[in-house]
Amino acid sequence: MNQQSGTTRTKSSMSSPPLFRFEKTSVIAIGAFNARIIHPTWLVEIGAMDAKESEMHRMEINVEEATLRLAPVSDATDTWTISTRLLAVESTQEDTTIWDAVGKVLKKLPWTPLTAVGTNFHFKSTDHPPSPHAPLIPSKLSVQGYQTKVMGSMIGLTKADSESVRNVQTVMEGDSCSVVVNFHTDMKPHRPPGDQAKAIEEALGNFPDRKKEADKLIDQLFRKDGQ
């Protein structure tokens, strides 16, 4: 994979240093899951994980919390967490297809009542410290109609439309800055299986476009004026 693919750049020129690097992404479905159904063999059978990939995970079971975690070993990049209340898959690979894997799981469990489906994109500043860019955030908080809230070192942005709620959390952490862009789809209005399946397809099928939107939003917030 191109080493530059995991970065968000300013618009001044292609030679400008990247402001942020991609860290990880995750897809989370909140609902009432039968955690015993979702295990590596079943994931392979439904095409959510290939056989070779399943061998690159170790199973970690928390009996008290009724949680199964498929932790990556070897060359694996994805982490699965399954419990009675959520299904979460996280990847450190930018060109991941975890959104498709989660979609296959949910498609096979149409009667599972879901509360929400969310996708998250995590970025970290490459400036140490990020002071040349961090002060610019307050002047750009109205970007794309987001509502904003400043809480000490954390800045939150929220925007809702007919499809989902977008949340952006920016946290200053000493000599660096972290940004999480979240797309949240409320599933409660889509409780019948047919409606839920359509909502899931729309929520997860937009994953590639939402990654691009996350990149663009960070660029708008952090690039210097005139660039």
Side-chain angles (χ1 to χ4, degrees), residues 124-214:
K124 193 95 170 181
S125 67
T126 55
D127 286 330
H128 300 283
S131 54
H133 309 289
L136 298 174
I137 300 177
S139 65
K140 296 178 178 294
L141 288 180
S142 60
V143 63
Q144 295 186 0
Y146 279 79
Q147 296 182 343
T148 63
K149 186 175 182 180
V150 180
M151 298 157 283
S153 62
M154 184 178 76
I155 300 174
L157 298 88
T158 303
K159 178 182 178 181
D161 59 26
S162 60
E163 294 182 357
S164 63
V165 177
R166 290 154 171 77
N167 300 289
V168 182
Q169 186 178 45
T170 301
V171 182
M172 306 302 170
E173 302 173 307
D175 65 347
S176 66
C177 176
S178 297
V179 180
V180 179
V181 181
N182 161 263
F183 296 84
H184 174 95
T185 300
D186 184 3
M187 300 300 295
K188 291 191 291 292
H190 311 287
R191 283 300 171 83
D195 290 345
Q196 180 167 284
K198 182 178 179 181
I200 291 170
E201 184 176 354
E202 292 176 352
L204 297 180
N206 290 331
F207 186 94
D209 289 337
R210 286 176 171 173
K211 172 60 171 60
K212 294 178 183 178
E213 185 176 338

Side-chain angles (χ1 to χ4, degrees), residues 48-68:
M49 180 183 292
D50 62 44
K52 183 177 180 180
E53 182 184 1
S54 69
E55 297 174 356
M56 297 180 183
H57 290 80
R58 67 174 181 272
M59 296 178 63
E60 300 174 352
I61 300 175
N62 186 320
V63 177
E64 293 183 359
E65 298 181 3
T67 300
L68 168 64

